[in-house]
């Protein structure tokens, strides 16, 4: 047995998405990729915007000496300054380059924050349905994930959170727009959460950090404005990336942005840079740092995802599927018509439709559709969704 038992156990626990992925490869080999509707992964179908290629072309055709060398662990000062300026515009908070650490995607950023903040046994509150990787990230740094369910609309339930907070709570980790529910937490909820965390900090005599995982922040629908966390809570840290808003998930470029009002700001920033280095990332990819410093304020055309959401929601609702309409991101999380979400997902699989059971997100009785796919994939899947709806009495 070459691999550690802990890793083996985790691999088994996370087998839903992997299982679907492998099933998908097999089905695609057997029937051809065009005959399988693969909604299993959050891999954006859109290409990066034209400005990305222009910036990349400019850099490649006008190389500067040293542009591929090591740099400060926190990243290039000019990239961090460009990001801070954009964030200041978006949040109304006076961010500077000193508040930004460039990281290897939001996943890398979360690991850096966890390593910096956690002592063994510290609790990290996460909310179900959750992004399954959170469990592994928390465990990477000897933390304890404390799962708190959201309410029937997948919104934060302040009373349940109040009960679950403890003197060991070091971090509350939220994700909005949410993977997998598509919910955007309203400003009133963030405000109430901020008040609650302030109260609990005072009661316990501890610091509780609100970490906001925001890779879907720019994918907002129905004219919604993003409810920021900074105005409502000083000890807040944003972790994000350009994986979805610039469609660059493979390039692994993201950043951590600490609220300037955070206590012990300087020590925290030094800790983040140190963790970035010692986790082995050293620094975020140099070329992408040069590129994204020119692309702050640029995003992919999120109306395309909004259109896909509308197409999917209208058609599935007419078939009797029940769900909370997503306000952002590119996931839909409908209820399964039978309690056995794994069985239901298998029925879809028989129609060559790949989705992920809610059990994989700590919320059985639901299933996730990642609709970051071509329109024709969505349209092709409707017959299968309809057949399964009939089979289970929705129609
Ligand atoms: C909620 C959430 N957080 C973090 C990540 C990781 O993003 P990145 O590719 O920037 O590491 C993802 C990726 O899908 C995600 O859905």
């Amino acid at each position: 047995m070459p691999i550690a038992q802990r890793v083996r156990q985790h691999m088994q626990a996370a087998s839903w998405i992997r299982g679907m992925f492998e099933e998908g490869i097999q089905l695609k080999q057997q029937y051809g990729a065009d005959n399988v509707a693969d909604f299993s992964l959050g891999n954006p179908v859109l290409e990066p915007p034209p400005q990305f290629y222009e910036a990349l072309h400019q850099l490649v055709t006008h190389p500067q000496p040293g542009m591929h060398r090591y740099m400060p662990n926190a990243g290039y000062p000019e990239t961090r300054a460009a990001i801070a300026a954009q964030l200041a515009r978006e949040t109304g908070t006076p961010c500077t380059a000193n508040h930004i650490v460039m990281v290897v995607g939001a996943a890398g950023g979360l690991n850096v924050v966890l390593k910096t903040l956690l002592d063994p046994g510290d609790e990290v509150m996460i909310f179900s349905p959750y992004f399954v990787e959170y469990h592994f990230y928390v465990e990477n740094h000897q933390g304890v994930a404390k799962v708190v369910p959201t309410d029937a609309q997948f919104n934060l339930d302040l009373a349940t959170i109040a009960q679950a907070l403890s003197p060991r709570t070091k971090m509350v980790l939220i994700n909005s727009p949410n993977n997998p529910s598509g919910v955007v937490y309203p400003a009133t909820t963030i405000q109430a959460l901020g008040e609650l965390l302030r109260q609990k900090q005072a009661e316990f005599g501890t610091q509780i950090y609100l970490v906001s995982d925001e890779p879907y922040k720019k994918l907002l629908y129905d004219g919604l404005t993003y409810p920021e966390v900074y105005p409502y809570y000083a000890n807040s840290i944003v972790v994000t990336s350009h994986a979805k808003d610039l469609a660059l998930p493979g390039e692994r470029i993201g950043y951590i942005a600490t609220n300037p009002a955070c206590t012990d700001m300087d020590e925290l920033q030094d800790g983040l840079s140190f963790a970035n280095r010692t986790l082995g990332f050293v620094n975020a990819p140099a070329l992408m740092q040069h590129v994204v410093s020119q692309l702050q304020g640029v995003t992919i055309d999120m109306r395309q995802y909004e259109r896909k959401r509308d197409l999917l929601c209208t058609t599935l609702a007419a078939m009797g599927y029940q769900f909370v309409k997503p306000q952002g991101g590119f996931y839909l999380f409908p209820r399964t018509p039978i309690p056995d979400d794994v069985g239901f997902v298998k029925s879809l699989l028989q129609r060559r439709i790949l989705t992920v059971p809610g059990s994989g997100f700590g919320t059985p009785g639901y299933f996730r559709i990642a609709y970051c796919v071509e329109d024709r994939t969505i349209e092709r899947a409707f017959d299968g969704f309809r057949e399964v709806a009939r089979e289970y009495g929705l129609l």
Side-chain angles (χ1 to χ4, degrees), residues 16 20 336 339-347 357-359 366:
W16 294 123
M20 275 298 150
T336 49
D340 176 12
D341 53 325
V342 177
F344 178 77
V345 160
K346 283 186 180 153
S347 297
S359 301
Y366 293 84

Side-chain angles (χ1 to χ4, degrees), residues 273-285:
S273 291
F274 176 80
N276 205 22
R277 183 181 105 214
T278 54
L279 279 171
F281 300 125
V282 182
N283 55 249

Side-chain angles (χ1 to χ4, degrees), residues 314-378:
T314 310
T315 315
L316 290 194
M319 293 176 192
Y321 288 96
Q322 287 177 8
F323 48 81
V324 174
K325 191 173 178 186
Q327 297 166 297
F330 43 50
Y331 305 101
L332 180 66
F333 200 56
R335 209 175 258 285
T336 49
I338 51 168
D340 176 12
D341 53 325
V342 177
F344 178 77
V345 160
K346 283 186 180 153
S347 297
L348 286 175
L349 196 59
Q350 282 163 10
R351 274 87 177 175
R352 300 200 287 275
I353 299 173
L354 304 177
T355 58
V356 183
S359 301
F361 307 93
T363 310
Y366 293 84
F367 67 112
R368 188 189 77 171
I369 303 172
Y371 59 84
C372 44
V373 296
E374 300 284 359
D375 286 7
R376 64 172 185 277
T377 305
I378 298 174

Side-chain angles (χ1 to χ4, degrees), residues 52-295:
F52 167 76
Y53 294 102
E54 285 158 20
L56 192 58
H57 185 258
Q58 176 67 17
L59 282 162
V60 172
T61 50
H62 299 82
Q64 298 294 316
M67 68 184 261
H68 302 293
R69 294 189 191 133
Y70 291 126
M71 85 268 326
N73 300 121
Y76 291 115
E78 61 274 19
T79 307
R80 294 160 63 209
I83 287 174
Q86 178 64 23
L87 261 186
R89 281 190 286 277
E90 289 173 12
T91 62
T93 306
C95 311
T96 69
N98 293 337
H99 305 114
I100 309 294
V101 176
M102 300 307 297
V103 290
V104 180
L110 288 168
N111 274 279
V112 167
V113 170
L114 288 160
K115 182 171 175 67
T116 306
L117 290 180
L118 294 189
D119 280 312
D122 280 348
E123 290 174 2
V124 177
M125 187 175 289
I126 62 174
F127 299 93
S128 57
Y130 47 69
F131 178 53
V132 72
E133 306 294 283
Y134 287 164
H135 275 289
F136 309 129
Y137 300 166
V138 171
E139 235 250 9
N140 280 345
H141 307 287
Q142 289 107 56
V144 176
K146 193 147 186 181
V147 179
V148 170
T150 49
D151 68 15
Q153 298 297 303
F154 301 125
N155 222 320
L156 297 179
D157 181 342
L158 272 293
T160 317
I161 297 174
Q163 280 177 354
L165 287 164
S166 87
R168 287 313 304 262
T169 311
K170 192 68 185 274
M171 196 187 293
V172 172
L173 175 52
I174 58 173
N175 165 229
S176 166
N178 187 265
N179 173 10
S181 73
V183 163
V184 177
Y185 301 138
T188 48
T189 302
I190 305 288
Q191 183 174 22
L193 179 63
E195 274 162 25
L196 175 63
L197 294 182
R198 266 192 302 279
Q199 254 175 41
K200 291 289 176 181
Q201 284 192 142
E203 183 184 326
F204 301 143
T206 56
Q207 307 265 15
I208 304 175
Y209 291 89
L210 176 61
V211 177
S212 183
D213 179 22
E214 305 182 353
Y216 303 95
K217 173 181 176 180
K218 301 290 166 63
L219 276 56
L220 282 186
Y221 310 135
D222 308 321
L224 215 65
T225 309
Y226 189 69
E228 304 283 349
V229 293
Y230 286 175
Y232 300 113
Y233 191 61
N235 280 340
S236 53
I237 300 174
V238 166
V239 180
T240 190
S241 76
H242 291 297
K244 322 287 171 170
D245 63 10
L246 291 176
L248 299 173
E251 301 298 346
R252 315 305 304 137
I253 186 71
Y255 58 89
I256 300 167
T258 305
N259 189 338
C262 221
T263 37
D264 300 322
M265 180 65 207
D266 291 343
E267 195 191 27
L268 184 56
Q269 287 305 106
D270 287 348
L272 294 170
S273 291
F274 176 80
N276 205 22
R277 183 181 105 214
T278 54
L279 279 171
F281 300 125
V282 182
N283 55 249
L287 188 59
M288 283 303 128
Q289 289 194 50
H290 290 302
V291 172
V292 302
S293 64
Q294 297 172 49
L295 298 181

